[in-house]
PDB file of all heavy atoms in Angstrom:
ATOM      1  N   LEU A  55     -18.096   2.957  11.529  1.00 88.00           N
ATOM      2  CA  LEU A  55     -18.065   4.140  12.384  1.00 88.00           C
ATOM      3  C   LEU A  55     -16.808   4.149  13.262  1.00 88.00           C
ATOM      4  O   LEU A  55     -16.153   5.187  13.408  1.00 88.00           O
ATOM      5  CB  LEU A  55     -19.332   4.196  13.250  1.00 88.00           C
ATOM      6  CG  LEU A  55     -19.594   5.512  13.973  1.00 88.00           C
ATOM      7  CD1 LEU A  55     -19.648   6.675  12.996  1.00 88.00           C
ATOM      8  CD2 LEU A  55     -20.885   5.433  14.763  1.00 88.00           C
ATOM      9  N   GLN A  56     -16.465   2.986  13.819  1.00 88.00           N
ATOM     10  CA  GLN A  56     -15.245   2.886  14.629  1.00 88.00           C
ATOM     11  C   GLN A  56     -14.017   3.214  13.783  1.00 88.00           C
ATOM     12  O   GLN A  56     -13.103   3.906  14.239  1.00 88.00           O
ATOM     13  CB  GLN A  56     -15.096   1.471  15.212  1.00 88.00           C
ATOM     14  CG  GLN A  56     -16.050   1.182  16.345  1.00 88.00           C
ATOM     15  CD  GLN A  56     -15.987  -0.288  16.764  1.00 88.00           C
ATOM     16  OE1 GLN A  56     -15.418  -1.128  16.074  1.00 88.00           O
ATOM     17  NE2 GLN A  56     -16.595  -0.585  17.904  1.00 88.00           N
ATOM     18  N   TYR A  57     -14.000   2.715  12.552  1.00 88.00           N
ATOM     19  CA  TYR A  57     -12.876   2.990  11.662  1.00 88.00           C
ATOM     20  C   TYR A  57     -12.756   4.488  11.404  1.00 88.00           C
ATOM     21  O   TYR A  57     -11.668   5.052  11.454  1.00 88.00           O
ATOM     22  CB  TYR A  57     -13.044   2.230  10.338  1.00 88.00           C
ATOM     23  CG  TYR A  57     -11.831   2.311   9.445  1.00 88.00           C
ATOM     24  CD1 TYR A  57     -10.899   1.287   9.421  1.00 88.00           C
ATOM     25  CD2 TYR A  57     -11.603   3.429   8.630  1.00 88.00           C
ATOM     26  CE1 TYR A  57      -9.775   1.360   8.619  1.00 88.00           C
ATOM     27  CE2 TYR A  57     -10.489   3.509   7.835  1.00 88.00           C
ATOM     28  CZ  TYR A  57      -9.577   2.473   7.825  1.00 88.00           C
ATOM     29  OH  TYR A  57      -8.455   2.568   7.035  1.00 88.00           O
ATOM     30  N   VAL A  58     -13.896   5.130  11.154  1.00 87.00           N
ATOM     31  CA  VAL A  58     -13.892   6.575  10.894  1.00 87.00           C
ATOM     32  C   VAL A  58     -13.357   7.326  12.115  1.00 87.00           C
ATOM     33  O   VAL A  58     -12.536   8.232  11.977  1.00 87.00           O
ATOM     34  CB  VAL A  58     -15.308   7.078  10.515  1.00 87.00           C
ATOM     35  CG1 VAL A  58     -15.368   8.592  10.505  1.00 87.00           C
ATOM     36  CG2 VAL A  58     -15.727   6.525   9.162  1.00 87.00           C
ATOM     37  N   GLU A  59     -13.807   6.941  13.307  1.00 88.00           N
ATOM     38  CA  GLU A  59     -13.346   7.611  14.535  1.00 88.00           C
ATOM     39  C   GLU A  59     -11.839   7.448  14.722  1.00 88.00           C
ATOM     40  O   GLU A  59     -11.147   8.385  15.111  1.00 88.00           O
ATOM     41  CB  GLU A  59     -14.093   7.057  15.761  1.00 88.00           C
ATOM     42  CG  GLU A  59     -15.560   7.410  15.794  1.00 88.00           C
ATOM     43  CD  GLU A  59     -15.830   8.906  15.762  1.00 88.00           C
ATOM     44  OE1 GLU A  59     -15.104   9.666  16.437  1.00 88.00           O
ATOM     45  OE2 GLU A  59     -16.754   9.327  15.038  1.00 88.00           O
ATOM     46  N   LYS A  60     -11.339   6.255  14.435  1.00 86.00           N
ATOM     47  CA  LYS A  60      -9.930   5.941  14.669  1.00 86.00           C
ATOM     48  C   LYS A  60      -9.019   6.544  13.607  1.00 86.00           C
ATOM     49  O   LYS A  60      -7.879   6.890  13.877  1.00 86.00           O
ATOM     50  CB  LYS A  60      -9.758   4.421  14.716  1.00 86.00           C
ATOM     51  CG  LYS A  60      -8.428   3.961  15.229  1.00 86.00           C
ATOM     52  CD  LYS A  60      -8.412   2.450  15.379  1.00 86.00           C
ATOM     53  CE  LYS A  60      -7.082   1.984  15.922  1.00 86.00           C
ATOM     54  NZ  LYS A  60      -6.976   0.538  15.978  1.00 86.00           N
ATOM     55  N   HIS A  61      -9.515   6.657  12.366  1.00 83.00           N
ATOM     56  CA  HIS A  61      -8.672   7.086  11.246  1.00 83.00           C
ATOM     57  C   HIS A  61      -9.200   8.354  10.574  1.00 83.00           C
ATOM     58  O   HIS A  61      -9.095   8.500   9.357  1.00 83.00           O
ATOM     59  CB  HIS A  61      -8.585   5.967  10.201  1.00 83.00           C
ATOM     60  CG  HIS A  61      -8.056   4.679  10.731  1.00 83.00           C
ATOM     61  ND1 HIS A  61      -6.721   4.452  10.930  1.00 83.00           N
ATOM     62  CD2 HIS A  61      -8.690   3.546  11.119  1.00 83.00           C
ATOM     63  CE1 HIS A  61      -6.547   3.233  11.409  1.00 83.00           C
ATOM     64  NE2 HIS A  61      -7.731   2.670  11.532  1.00 83.00           N
ATOM     65  N   ARG A  62      -9.741   9.244  11.360  1.00 84.00           N
ATOM     66  CA  ARG A  62     -10.354  10.456  10.817  1.00 84.00           C
ATOM     67  C   ARG A  62      -9.374  11.281   9.972  1.00 84.00           C
ATOM     68  O   ARG A  62      -9.701  11.734   8.879  1.00 84.00           O
ATOM     69  CB  ARG A  62     -10.922  11.302  11.965  1.00 84.00           C
ATOM     70  CG  ARG A  62     -11.780  12.446  11.485  1.00 84.00           C
ATOM     71  CD  ARG A  62     -12.521  13.106  12.625  1.00 84.00           C
ATOM     72  NE  ARG A  62     -13.433  12.222  13.325  1.00 84.00           N
ATOM     73  CZ  ARG A  62     -14.652  11.904  12.903  1.00 84.00           C
ATOM     74  NH1 ARG A  62     -15.090  12.380  11.765  1.00 84.00           N
ATOM     75  NH2 ARG A  62     -15.427  11.114  13.606  1.00 84.00           N
ATOM     76  N   GLU A  63      -8.154  11.462  10.467  1.00 82.00           N
ATOM     77  CA  GLU A  63      -7.174  12.290   9.760  1.00 82.00           C
ATOM     78  C   GLU A  63      -6.785  11.663   8.412  1.00 82.00           C
ATOM     79  O   GLU A  63      -6.751  12.343   7.386  1.00 82.00           O
ATOM     80  CB  GLU A  63      -5.923  12.472  10.629  1.00 82.00           C
ATOM     81  CG  GLU A  63      -4.935  13.463  10.050  1.00 82.00           C
ATOM     82  CD  GLU A  63      -3.741  13.686  10.962  1.00 82.00           C
ATOM     83  OE1 GLU A  63      -3.858  13.514  12.191  1.00 82.00           O
ATOM     84  OE2 GLU A  63      -2.680  14.037  10.423  1.00 82.00           O
ATOM     85  N   GLU A  64      -6.521  10.330   8.423  1.00 81.00           N
ATOM     86  CA  GLU A  64      -6.154   9.644   7.180  1.00 81.00           C
ATOM     87  C   GLU A  64      -7.304   9.699   6.177  1.00 81.00           C
ATOM     88  O   GLU A  64      -7.093   9.919   4.988  1.00 81.00           O
ATOM     89  CB  GLU A  64      -5.782   8.177   7.434  1.00 81.00           C
ATOM     90  CG  GLU A  64      -4.490   7.987   8.201  1.00 81.00           C
ATOM     91  CD  GLU A  64      -4.714   7.814   9.691  1.00 81.00           C
ATOM     92  OE1 GLU A  64      -5.736   8.317  10.219  1.00 81.00           O
ATOM     93  OE2 GLU A  64      -3.874   7.188  10.330  1.00 81.00           O
ATOM     94  N   LEU A  65      -8.528   9.502   6.653  1.00 83.00           N
ATOM     95  CA  LEU A  65      -9.697   9.554   5.765  1.00 83.00           C
ATOM     96  C   LEU A  65      -9.867  10.946   5.163  1.00 83.00           C
ATOM     97  O   LEU A  65     -10.186  11.081   3.984  1.00 83.00           O
ATOM     98  CB  LEU A  65     -10.965   9.150   6.511  1.00 83.00           C
ATOM     99  CG  LEU A  65     -11.215   7.652   6.619  1.00 83.00           C
ATOM    100  CD1 LEU A  65     -12.277   7.353   7.667  1.00 83.00           C
ATOM    101  CD2 LEU A  65     -11.619   7.073   5.276  1.00 83.00           C
ATOM    102  N   THR A  66      -9.667  11.975   5.972  1.00 85.00           N
ATOM    103  CA  THR A  66      -9.774  13.353   5.475  1.00 85.00           C
ATOM    104  C   THR A  66      -8.758  13.574   4.358  1.00 85.00           C
ATOM    105  O   THR A  66      -9.100  14.073   3.286  1.00 85.00           O
ATOM    106  CB  THR A  66      -9.556  14.370   6.615  1.00 85.00           C
ATOM    107  OG1 THR A  66     -10.503  14.118   7.647  1.00 85.00           O
ATOM    108  CG2 THR A  66      -9.704  15.795   6.115  1.00 85.00           C
ATOM    109  N   ASN A  67      -7.491  13.175   4.614  1.00 82.00           N
ATOM    110  CA  ASN A  67      -6.446  13.338   3.592  1.00 82.00           C
ATOM    111  C   ASN A  67      -6.764  12.518   2.346  1.00 82.00           C
ATOM    112  O   ASN A  67      -6.559  12.969   1.224  1.00 82.00           O
ATOM    113  CB  ASN A  67      -5.080  12.927   4.152  1.00 82.00           C
ATOM    114  CG  ASN A  67      -4.554  13.940   5.137  1.00 82.00           C
ATOM    115  OD1 ASN A  67      -4.896  15.117   5.072  1.00 82.00           O
ATOM    116  ND2 ASN A  67      -3.736  13.498   6.065  1.00 82.00           N
ATOM    117  N   TYR A  68      -7.259  11.309   2.553  1.00 82.00           N
ATOM    118  CA  TYR A  68      -7.595  10.422   1.441  1.00 82.00           C
ATOM    119  C   TYR A  68      -8.698  11.040   0.583  1.00 82.00           C
ATOM    120  O   TYR A  68      -8.623  11.036  -0.640  1.00 82.00           O
ATOM    121  CB  TYR A  68      -8.049   9.070   2.002  1.00 82.00           C
ATOM    122  CG  TYR A  68      -8.342   8.006   0.972  1.00 82.00           C
ATOM    123  CD1 TYR A  68      -7.383   7.061   0.632  1.00 82.00           C
ATOM    124  CD2 TYR A  68      -9.578   7.933   0.338  1.00 82.00           C
ATOM    125  CE1 TYR A  68      -7.648   6.073  -0.305  1.00 82.00           C
ATOM    126  CE2 TYR A  68      -9.849   6.951  -0.601  1.00 82.00           C
ATOM    127  CZ  TYR A  68      -8.886   6.026  -0.913  1.00 82.00           C
ATOM    128  OH  TYR A  68      -9.143   5.060  -1.841  1.00 82.00           O
ATOM    129  N   LEU A  69      -9.734  11.580   1.235  1.00 84.00           N
ATOM    130  CA  LEU A  69     -10.850  12.188   0.499  1.00 84.00           C
ATOM    131  C   LEU A  69     -10.438  13.496  -0.174  1.00 84.00           C
ATOM    132  O   LEU A  69     -10.953  13.839  -1.239  1.00 84.00           O
ATOM    133  CB  LEU A  69     -12.040  12.404   1.428  1.00 84.00           C
ATOM    134  CG  LEU A  69     -12.734  11.106   1.894  1.00 84.00           C
ATOM    135  CD1 LEU A  69     -13.659  11.378   3.064  1.00 84.00           C
ATOM    136  CD2 LEU A  69     -13.496  10.457   0.752  1.00 84.00           C
ATOM    137  N   LEU A  70      -9.515  14.230   0.443  1.00 83.00           N
ATOM    138  CA  LEU A  70      -9.028  15.472  -0.162  1.00 83.00           C
ATOM    139  C   LEU A  70      -8.113  15.201  -1.353  1.00 83.00           C
ATOM    140  O   LEU A  70      -8.082  15.963  -2.309  1.00 83.00           O
ATOM    141  CB  LEU A  70      -8.257  16.301   0.877  1.00 83.00           C
ATOM    142  CG  LEU A  70      -9.085  17.109   1.854  1.00 83.00           C
ATOM    143  CD1 LEU A  70      -8.202  17.719   2.931  1.00 83.00           C
ATOM    144  CD2 LEU A  70      -9.861  18.203   1.137  1.00 83.00           C
ATOM    145  N   HIS A  71      -7.334  14.115  -1.274  1.00 79.00           N
ATOM    146  CA  HIS A  71      -6.347  13.790  -2.312  1.00 79.00           C
ATOM    147  C   HIS A  71      -6.532  12.352  -2.780  1.00 79.00           C
ATOM    148  O   HIS A  71      -5.744  11.469  -2.435  1.00 79.00           O
ATOM    149  CB  HIS A  71      -4.921  13.963  -1.769  1.00 79.00           C
ATOM    150  CG  HIS A  71      -4.681  15.278  -1.103  1.00 79.00           C
ATOM    151  ND1 HIS A  71      -4.540  16.431  -1.814  1.00 79.00           N
ATOM    152  CD2 HIS A  71      -4.602  15.620   0.207  1.00 79.00           C
ATOM    153  CE1 HIS A  71      -4.359  17.436  -0.969  1.00 79.00           C
ATOM    154  NE2 HIS A  71      -4.400  16.977   0.251  1.00 79.00           N
ATOM    155  N   PRO A  72      -7.547  12.091  -3.582  1.00 76.00           N
ATOM    156  CA  PRO A  72      -7.809  10.709  -4.012  1.00 76.00           C
ATOM    157  C   PRO A  72      -6.670  10.095  -4.829  1.00 76.00           C
ATOM    158  O   PRO A  72      -6.552   8.889  -4.902  1.00 76.00           O
ATOM    159  CB  PRO A  72      -9.094  10.811  -4.835  1.00 76.00           C
ATOM    160  CG  PRO A  72      -9.289  12.250  -5.109  1.00 76.00           C
ATOM    161  CD  PRO A  72      -8.530  13.028  -4.102  1.00 76.00           C
ATOM    162  N   ASP A  73      -5.803  10.936  -5.413  1.00 73.00           N
ATOM    163  CA  ASP A  73      -4.666  10.401  -6.174  1.00 73.00           C
ATOM    164  C   ASP A  73      -3.615   9.765  -5.274  1.00 73.00           C
ATOM    165  O   ASP A  73      -2.748   9.028  -5.745  1.00 73.00           O
ATOM    166  CB  ASP A  73      -4.016  11.496  -7.029  1.00 73.00           C
ATOM    167  CG  ASP A  73      -4.922  11.938  -8.163  1.00 73.00           C
ATOM    168  OD1 ASP A  73      -5.835  11.166  -8.528  1.00 73.00           O
ATOM    169  OD2 ASP A  73      -4.732  13.050  -8.670  1.00 73.00           O
ATOM    170  N   ASP A  74      -3.669  10.055  -3.980  1.00 76.00           N
ATOM    171  CA  ASP A  74      -2.726   9.459  -3.025  1.00 76.00           C
ATOM    172  C   ASP A  74      -3.241   8.136  -2.471  1.00 76.00           C
ATOM    173  O   ASP A  74      -2.699   7.616  -1.503  1.00 76.00           O
ATOM    174  CB  ASP A  74      -2.454  10.422  -1.866  1.00 76.00           C
ATOM    175  CG  ASP A  74      -1.742  11.690  -2.319  1.00 76.00           C
ATOM    176  OD1 ASP A  74      -1.205  11.685  -3.452  1.00 76.00           O
ATOM    177  OD2 ASP A  74      -1.703  12.663  -1.560  1.00 76.00           O
ATOM    178  N   ALA A  75      -4.272   7.584  -3.083  1.00 76.00           N
ATOM    179  CA  ALA A  75      -4.894   6.363  -2.580  1.00 76.00           C
ATOM    180  C   ALA A  75      -3.889   5.229  -2.427  1.00 76.00           C
ATOM    181  O   ALA A  75      -3.903   4.512  -1.425  1.00 76.00           O
ATOM    182  CB  ALA A  75      -6.027   5.929  -3.509  1.00 76.00           C
ATOM    183  N   ASP A  76      -2.983   5.068  -3.412  1.00 82.00           N
ATOM    184  CA  ASP A  76      -1.998   3.983  -3.341  1.00 82.00           C
ATOM    185  C   ASP A  76      -1.114   4.118  -2.107  1.00 82.00           C
ATOM    186  O   ASP A  76      -0.789   3.119  -1.458  1.00 82.00           O
ATOM    187  CB  ASP A  76      -1.113   3.959  -4.591  1.00 82.00           C
ATOM    188  CG  ASP A  76      -1.874   3.509  -5.825  1.00 82.00           C
ATOM    189  OD1 ASP A  76      -2.958   2.901  -5.667  1.00 82.00           O
ATOM    190  OD2 ASP A  76      -1.388   3.748  -6.941  1.00 82.00           O
ATOM    191  N   LEU A  77      -0.722   5.352  -1.774  1.00 83.00           N
ATOM    192  CA  LEU A  77       0.114   5.573  -0.597  1.00 83.00           C
ATOM    193  C   LEU A  77      -0.612   5.160   0.679  1.00 83.00           C
ATOM    194  O   LEU A  77      -0.066   4.445   1.512  1.00 83.00           O
ATOM    195  CB  LEU A  77       0.550   7.041  -0.507  1.00 83.00           C
ATOM    196  CG  LEU A  77       1.320   7.426   0.767  1.00 83.00           C
ATOM    197  CD1 LEU A  77       2.642   6.665   0.854  1.00 83.00           C
ATOM    198  CD2 LEU A  77       1.557   8.926   0.819  1.00 83.00           C
ATOM    199  N   TYR A  78      -1.873   5.582   0.822  1.00 81.00           N
ATOM    200  CA  TYR A  78      -2.618   5.251   2.038  1.00 81.00           C
ATOM    201  C   TYR A  78      -2.879   3.748   2.135  1.00 81.00           C
ATOM    202  O   TYR A  78      -2.785   3.176   3.224  1.00 81.00           O
ATOM    203  CB  TYR A  78      -3.933   6.033   2.089  1.00 81.00           C
ATOM    204  CG  TYR A  78      -3.705   7.504   2.348  1.00 81.00           C
ATOM    205  CD1 TYR A  78      -3.908   8.449   1.351  1.00 81.00           C
ATOM    206  CD2 TYR A  78      -3.248   7.942   3.583  1.00 81.00           C
ATOM    207  CE1 TYR A  78      -3.669   9.790   1.576  1.00 81.00           C
ATOM    208  CE2 TYR A  78      -3.004   9.282   3.816  1.00 81.00           C
ATOM    209  CZ  TYR A  78      -3.219  10.201   2.815  1.00 81.00           C
ATOM    210  OH  TYR A  78      -2.968  11.525   3.048  1.00 81.00           O
ATOM    211  N   GLU A  79      -3.148   3.120   1.004  1.00 82.00           N
ATOM    212  CA  GLU A  79      -3.365   1.665   1.025  1.00 82.00           C
ATOM    213  C   GLU A  79      -2.077   0.932   1.366  1.00 82.00           C
ATOM    214  O   GLU A  79      -2.084  -0.033   2.124  1.00 82.00           O
ATOM    215  CB  GLU A  79      -3.919   1.190  -0.323  1.00 82.00           C
ATOM    216  CG  GLU A  79      -5.368   1.592  -0.500  1.00 82.00           C
ATOM    217  CD  GLU A  79      -5.900   1.251  -1.882  1.00 82.00           C
ATOM    218  OE1 GLU A  79      -5.321   0.361  -2.547  1.00 82.00           O
ATOM    219  OE2 GLU A  79      -6.894   1.868  -2.275  1.00 82.00           O
ATOM    220  N   TRP A  80      -0.941   1.398   0.826  1.00 84.00           N
ATOM    221  CA  TRP A  80       0.345   0.779   1.144  1.00 84.00           C
ATOM    222  C   TRP A  80       0.669   0.963   2.627  1.00 84.00           C
ATOM    223  O   TRP A  80       1.127   0.028   3.289  1.00 84.00           O
ATOM    224  CB  TRP A  80       1.452   1.371   0.269  1.00 84.00           C
ATOM    225  CG  TRP A  80       2.792   0.776   0.590  1.00 84.00           C
ATOM    226  CD1 TRP A  80       3.316  -0.370   0.080  1.00 84.00           C
ATOM    227  CD2 TRP A  80       3.744   1.278   1.522  1.00 84.00           C
ATOM    228  NE1 TRP A  80       4.545  -0.610   0.645  1.00 84.00           N
ATOM    229  CE2 TRP A  80       4.828   0.383   1.534  1.00 84.00           C
ATOM    230  CE3 TRP A  80       3.788   2.392   2.363  1.00 84.00           C
ATOM    231  CZ2 TRP A  80       5.950   0.568   2.335  1.00 84.00           C
ATOM    232  CZ3 TRP A  80       4.897   2.572   3.169  1.00 84.00           C
ATOM    233  CH2 TRP A  80       5.969   1.674   3.146  1.00 84.00           C
ATOM    234  N   MET A  81       0.430   2.164   3.142  1.00 83.00           N
ATOM    235  CA  MET A  81       0.689   2.418   4.569  1.00 83.00           C
ATOM    236  C   MET A  81      -0.155   1.499   5.444  1.00 83.00           C
ATOM    237  O   MET A  81       0.328   0.955   6.441  1.00 83.00           O
ATOM    238  CB  MET A  81       0.428   3.890   4.912  1.00 83.00           C
ATOM    239  CG  MET A  81       1.511   4.818   4.393  1.00 83.00           C
ATOM    240  SD  MET A  81       1.135   6.571   4.585  1.00 83.00           S
ATOM    241  CE  MET A  81       1.026   6.758   6.349  1.00 83.00           C
ATOM    242  N   GLU A  82      -1.415   1.318   5.059  1.00 80.00           N
ATOM    243  CA  GLU A  82      -2.314   0.452   5.819  1.00 80.00           C
ATOM    244  C   GLU A  82      -1.829  -0.996   5.780  1.00 80.00           C
ATOM    245  O   GLU A  82      -1.747  -1.657   6.818  1.00 80.00           O
ATOM    246  CB  GLU A  82      -3.714   0.561   5.221  1.00 80.00           C
ATOM    247  CG  GLU A  82      -4.823   0.133   6.134  1.00 80.00           C
ATOM    248  CD  GLU A  82      -6.177   0.552   5.564  1.00 80.00           C
ATOM    249  OE1 GLU A  82      -6.476   0.222   4.398  1.00 80.00           O
ATOM    250  OE2 GLU A  82      -6.928   1.192   6.300  1.00 80.00           O
ATOM    251  N   THR A  83      -1.468  -1.492   4.608  1.00 82.00           N
ATOM    252  CA  THR A  83      -0.999  -2.865   4.451  1.00 82.00           C
ATOM    253  C   THR A  83       0.319  -3.081   5.184  1.00 82.00           C
ATOM    254  O   THR A  83       0.563  -4.146   5.742  1.00 82.00           O
ATOM    255  CB  THR A  83      -0.811  -3.201   2.954  1.00 82.00           C
ATOM    256  OG1 THR A  83      -2.003  -2.874   2.261  1.00 82.00           O
ATOM    257  CG2 THR A  83      -0.497  -4.654   2.743  1.00 82.00           C
ATOM    258  N   SER A  84       1.174  -2.061   5.196  1.00 82.00           N
ATOM    259  CA  SER A  84       2.487  -2.153   5.829  1.00 82.00           C
ATOM    260  C   SER A  84       2.460  -1.801   7.310  1.00 82.00           C
ATOM    261  O   SER A  84       3.492  -1.812   7.968  1.00 82.00           O
ATOM    262  CB  SER A  84       3.476  -1.218   5.135  1.00 82.00           C
ATOM    263  OG  SER A  84       3.599  -1.565   3.793  1.00 82.00           O
ATOM    264  N   HIS A  85       1.290  -1.424   7.815  1.00 83.00           N
ATOM    265  CA  HIS A  85       1.143  -0.989   9.218  1.00 83.00           C
ATOM    266  C   HIS A  85       2.075   0.185   9.525  1.00 83.00           C
ATOM    267  O   HIS A  85       2.770   0.201  10.529  1.00 83.00           O
ATOM    268  CB  HIS A  85       1.393  -2.149  10.188  1.00 83.00           C
ATOM    269  CG  HIS A  85       0.517  -3.333   9.915  1.00 83.00           C
ATOM    270  ND1 HIS A  85      -0.839  -3.320  10.139  1.00 83.00           N
ATOM    271  CD2 HIS A  85       0.804  -4.558   9.402  1.00 83.00           C
ATOM    272  CE1 HIS A  85      -1.352  -4.479   9.779  1.00 83.00           C
ATOM    273  NE2 HIS A  85      -0.385  -5.249   9.321  1.00 83.00           N
ATOM    274  N   GLN A  86       2.087   1.156   8.622  1.00 82.00           N
ATOM    275  CA  GLN A  86       2.908   2.352   8.792  1.00 82.00           C
ATOM    276  C   GLN A  86       2.013   3.564   9.005  1.00 82.00           C
ATOM    277  O   GLN A  86       0.872   3.581   8.558  1.00 82.00           O
ATOM    278  CB  GLN A  86       3.781   2.591   7.557  1.00 82.00           C
ATOM    279  CG  GLN A  86       4.783   1.504   7.263  1.00 82.00           C
ATOM    280  CD  GLN A  86       5.869   1.405   8.312  1.00 82.00           C
ATOM    281  OE1 GLN A  86       6.319   2.397   8.869  1.00 82.00           O
ATOM    282  NE2 GLN A  86       6.281   0.178   8.597  1.00 82.00           N
ATOM    283  N   THR A  87       2.568   4.554   9.679  1.00 80.00           N
ATOM    284  CA  THR A  87       1.912   5.853   9.823  1.00 80.00           C
ATOM    285  C   THR A  87       2.922   6.911   9.400  1.00 80.00           C
ATOM    286  O   THR A  87       4.094   6.593   9.185  1.00 80.00           O
ATOM    287  CB  THR A  87       1.493   6.118  11.285  1.00 80.00           C
ATOM    288  OG1 THR A  87       2.682   6.188  12.088  1.00 80.00           O
ATOM    289  CG2 THR A  87       0.571   5.026  11.821  1.00 80.00           C
ATOM    290  N   THR A  88       2.482   8.152   9.320  1.00 80.00           N
ATOM    291  CA  THR A  88       3.429   9.215   8.961  1.00 80.00           C
ATOM    292  C   THR A  88       4.533   9.312  10.021  1.00 80.00           C
ATOM    293  O   THR A  88       5.672   9.624   9.692  1.00 80.00           O
ATOM    294  CB  THR A  88       2.696  10.569   8.831  1.00 80.00           C
ATOM    295  OG1 THR A  88       1.865  10.761   9.966  1.00 80.00           O
ATOM    296  CG2 THR A  88       1.843  10.604   7.582  1.00 80.00           C
TER     297      THR A  88
END
Side-chain angles (χ1 to χ4, degrees):
L55 193 56
Q56 286 173 347
Y57 188 98
V58 169
E59 292 302 319
K60 192 174 181 185
H61 302 281
R62 190 170 299 280
E63 188 177 333
E64 291 95 333
L65 277 165
T66 303
N67 287 334
Y68 184 96
L69 291 166
L70 280 172
H71 309 286
D73 291 339
D74 295 344
D76 290 342
L77 174 63
Y78 289 109
E79 287 174 22
W80 179 86
M81 286 172 63
E82 200 168 53
T83 308
S84 300
H85 305 291
Q86 297 293 324
T87 64
T88 48

